[in-house]
Amino acid sequence: MNYSISRKESHSFTLVALFAALMAVMGLIPKIDLPFGVPITLQSLATMLAGCLLGARRGFQSIALFLLAVAVGLPLLAGGRGGIGVFMAPSAGYLLGYPVAALVTGLVMRWLPHATPRQTGVSAFVAAVVGGVFVLHMMGIAGLVLVAHMDVMKAVWVDLAFVPGDLVKCGLCGLIVHTVSKAMPDWRFGGH
């Protein structure tokens, strides 16, 4: 049997692992704890970048790989958290939403224009808002309702605390993607 891996597959595996590592590195930046059990972290920025730069499939895979490492006990979440217990906390909806957010961000990025670096940066901002804010926050609200037993309106109000910071992260995502587009014009944004 021949188990050789093509250069393209090897490149794909490398990017998935690299973005899982980027997610872990973002967890080294101290979190800001809020009273309702969901911290503010930079890890949602890595999710947005994974979708924009890797595309839907590889973005999803990279964040899922990261969450697998967290589930087996590696303390990779902001604040040095890890283990299966983090998926039973109020932030569980956001954690489970990370790979879905990367997937949706990648899908949106794939269909938006990226003929120029400026257009690519704006597209990344829009994709990050759709996947990294709208989708991620909907899953986070669901987690607050199901795990923290909040009523829906209270969960929505609690979630609104994250929106301004996440919109800033969307702007950073757009700037980073714009820079990558200028430096590497052949990059396949959104897996395109």
Side-chain angles (χ1 to χ4, degrees):
M1 292 184 147
N2 184 3
Y3 290 108
S4 64
I5 296 175
S6 72
R7 182 180 179 121
K8 183 178 178 181
E9 289 171 325
S10 176
H11 179 72
S12 184
F13 291 150
T14 302
L15 288 174
V16 166
L18 179 67
F19 273 80
L22 174 65
M23 188 76 165
V25 167
M26 293 281 192
L28 295 174
I29 298 166
K31 63 185 172 110
I32 300 170
D33 286 314
L34 297 177
F36 40 86
V38 180
I40 295 174
T41 75
L42 275 183
Q43 289 180 308
S44 55
L45 174 59
T47 299
M48 296 170 191
L49 288 169
C52 287
L53 294 173
L54 298 183
R57 182 179 52 84
R58 288 187 298 184
F60 178 88
Q61 290 170 340
S62 68
I63 305 306
L65 175 62
F66 169 80
L67 289 180
L68 178 64
V70 168
V72 298
L74 295 177
L76 301 176
L77 290 173
R81 298 170 299 133
I84 200 74
V86 299
F87 297 99
M88 312 301 173
S91 60
Y94 295 97
L95 295 179
L96 296 174
Y98 281 162
V100 178
L103 177 99
V104 172
T105 300
L107 289 172
V108 173
M109 185 67 184
R110 180 180 182 96
W111 297 110
L112 291 175
H114 18 71
T116 67
R118 176 177 288 173
Q119 209 175 48
T120 305
V122 170
S123 294
F125 175 81
V126 171
V129 168
V130 174
V133 177
F134 183 73
V135 170
L136 183 61
H137 286 246
M138 289 298 105
M139 293 195 70
I141 290 168
L144 289 170
V145 170
L146 296 172
V147 178
H149 306 293
M150 289 184 189
D151 67 67
V152 175
M153 285 312 297
K154 182 176 181 184
V156 168
W157 282 106
V158 163
D159 181 77
L160 286 176
F162 297 103
V163 172
D166 282 353
L167 289 174
V168 170
K169 293 174 201 172
C170 291
L172 285 172
C173 179
L175 288 173
I176 292 167
V177 168
H178 174 264
T179 303
V180 170
S181 179
K182 285 175 71 173
M184 302 172 79
D186 293 334
W187 188 275
R188 295 177 54 193
F189 296 96
H192 204 278

